[in-house]
Amino acid sequence: MILPGFVNAHCHAFQRGLRGRRTGGDFWVWRDAMIAEAERQTPELVLERYTDTYRELRAAGYTAVGEFHYLGLAEANAAARAAKRAGIEITLLLGAYARGGSERFRQSSPAEYIDQVAELRAAGIRVGCAPHSVRACPPDWLEEIGRYAESEGLVLHVHADEQPREVEECLAEHGVRPIELLAQSGCLGPRTTVVHATHADDRELDLLAEAGGRVCLCPTTEANLGDGFAPFERLRERGIGICIGSDSNIRIDPLEELRELETSARRLSLRRDFCDAGTLLCFGADEGAAALALNSWPDISVDLGHRSLAGVASEDVLDALVFGCGADVLRESY
Ligand SMILES: [Zn+2]
């Protein structure tokens, strides 16, 4: 059975190197370890390790990736080369970082950032704008980058509402919540993908729905980092588009991401009727492709002879795939 390949709309490939690392504490303690891992990256290491990780993505049924990248320009070029080597479509979502984090994440001005985006585009790399977060980018950066993305027709991805502390800091500094600040700064539109939105309130989700933006959910990473539960039911009520990402790459399995989305909502609501398998598969492929401005990306095939699917009636195969299989039932389709 042939299906559209899965699209991984949010990936930080270098974080694959942190799997199994026990940092304890909370998200912020993990973040210190993540920054240390980021600081040791070089273009050579990125080329080697990203190629390996992208091959893992490919083997798990992802045929396109949105690499949310904040390690520097030479490393961005290396990531694009790694994708080519691994045979995966890539949209390079170049991070903009004004403050905090590591020095290597940062540009000196929005103009320098826009020059970097232009340089990647000139090299023939499919790019998107990615102001890292409202923590990392103040309103003047958001405004300038939002304007540039809009005028160039580029997608814009941004982390928002992943952790309660981020919301509290945004309220203290700006008097509004993160997605409200994105709306005020011209960063919310139909080409916007908000990553996580875990702690978004109803007003923020209303703004996102009005703008026609999407949310990228990364359930296995959000679980691992202790972020909380995605507001899946409230996103569905508003008809907000949802795509998935492997994010920290603690797990690489699109079926597991989709299953977690639905089954977490079931646990929270004591209901079992949020999305059918076809809708979830659409989140895993078409919605991600739209978020990455992809017109085409390779298909995959499902091994119907696999032991996980043996004896399943043909009308039940999609549900059995999403709710009862791992990525080992998926095959590359040439
Ligand atoms: Zn991320």
Side-chain angles (χ1 to χ4, degrees), residues 132-148:
H132 179 275
S133 57
V134 300
R135 275 190 286 119
C137 289
D140 59 326
W141 279 56
L142 294 172
E143 285 164 15
E144 196 160 339
I145 294 165
R147 239 187 339 261
Y148 174 76

Side-chain angles (χ1 to χ4, degrees), residues 97-178:
Y97 223 104
R99 58 187 189 180
S102 161
E103 194 180 341
R104 73 176 299 165
F105 299 173
R106 301 196 285 262
Q107 296 88 8
S108 60
S109 66
E112 186 192 355
Y113 170 75
I114 288 167
D115 283 349
Q116 291 182 349
V117 173
E119 192 173 326
L120 293 173
R121 292 176 79 188
I125 298 169
R126 186 187 304 111
V127 297
C129 292
H132 179 275
S133 57
V134 300
R135 275 190 286 119
C137 289
D140 59 326
W141 279 56
L142 294 172
E143 285 164 15
E144 196 160 339
I145 294 165
R147 239 187 339 261
Y148 174 76
E150 173 68 26
S151 69
E152 298 294 314
L154 297 175
V155 298
L156 186 149
H157 287 227
V158 56
H159 298 98
D161 288 312
E162 182 175 9
Q163 283 280 326
R165 188 172 120 189
E166 172 202 338
V167 181
E168 289 155 18
E169 287 175 357
C170 188
L171 278 166
E173 185 177 4
H174 306 293
V176 291
R177 299 171 67 91

Side-chain angles (χ1 to χ4, degrees), residues 73-278:
L73 196 58
E75 287 78 4
N77 279 294
R81 281 208 305 281
K84 196 162 197 173
R85 276 191 186 177
I88 193 166
E89 291 290 329
I90 189 169
T91 299
L92 205 299
L93 304 163
L94 187 70
Y97 223 104
R99 58 187 189 180
S102 161
E103 194 180 341
R104 73 176 299 165
F105 299 173
R106 301 196 285 262
Q107 296 88 8
S108 60
S109 66
E112 186 192 355
Y113 170 75
I114 288 167
D115 283 349
Q116 291 182 349
V117 173
E119 192 173 326
L120 293 173
R121 292 176 79 188
I125 298 169
R126 186 187 304 111
V127 297
C129 292
H132 179 275
S133 57
V134 300
R135 275 190 286 119
C137 289
D140 59 326
W141 279 56
L142 294 172
E143 285 164 15
E144 196 160 339
I145 294 165
R147 239 187 339 261
Y148 174 76
E150 173 68 26
S151 69
E152 298 294 314
L154 297 175
V155 298
L156 186 149
H157 287 227
V158 56
H159 298 98
D161 288 312
E162 182 175 9
Q163 283 280 326
R165 188 172 120 189
E166 172 202 338
V167 181
E168 289 155 18
E169 287 175 357
C170 188
L171 278 166
E173 185 177 4
H174 306 293
V176 291
R177 299 171 67 91
I179 294 176
E180 292 175 309
L181 187 65
L182 293 173
Q184 285 178 12
S185 310
C187 281
L188 217 53
R191 282 187 290 271
T192 300
T193 298
V194 170
V195 183
H196 304 305
T198 316
H199 299 282
D201 71 5
D202 285 345
R203 157 119 178 107
E204 290 180 283
L205 295 184
D206 287 345
L207 286 170
L208 191 57
E210 283 163 25
R214 282 186 183 74
V215 167
C216 182
L217 302 175
C218 312
T220 63
T221 291
E222 289 155 5
N224 185 255
L225 298 185
D227 286 342
F229 288 101
F232 192 60
E233 189 171 2
R234 292 185 294 129
L235 291 167
R236 293 289 293 152
E237 284 167 2
R238 289 167 175 78
I240 295 171
I242 296 168
C243 52
I244 58 165
S246 69
D247 194 354
S248 69
N249 298 293
I250 182 77
R251 290 282 295 131
I252 295 180
D253 185 334
L255 297 172
E256 188 172 340
E257 303 293 345
L258 295 173
R259 184 159 57 242
E260 280 286 310
L261 276 188
E262 171 71 18
T263 54
S264 295
R266 290 183 183 188
R267 283 170 160 173
L268 289 166
S269 68
L270 310 184
R271 284 171 43 205
R272 322 186 54 240
D273 58 351
F274 288 96
C275 281
D276 58 28

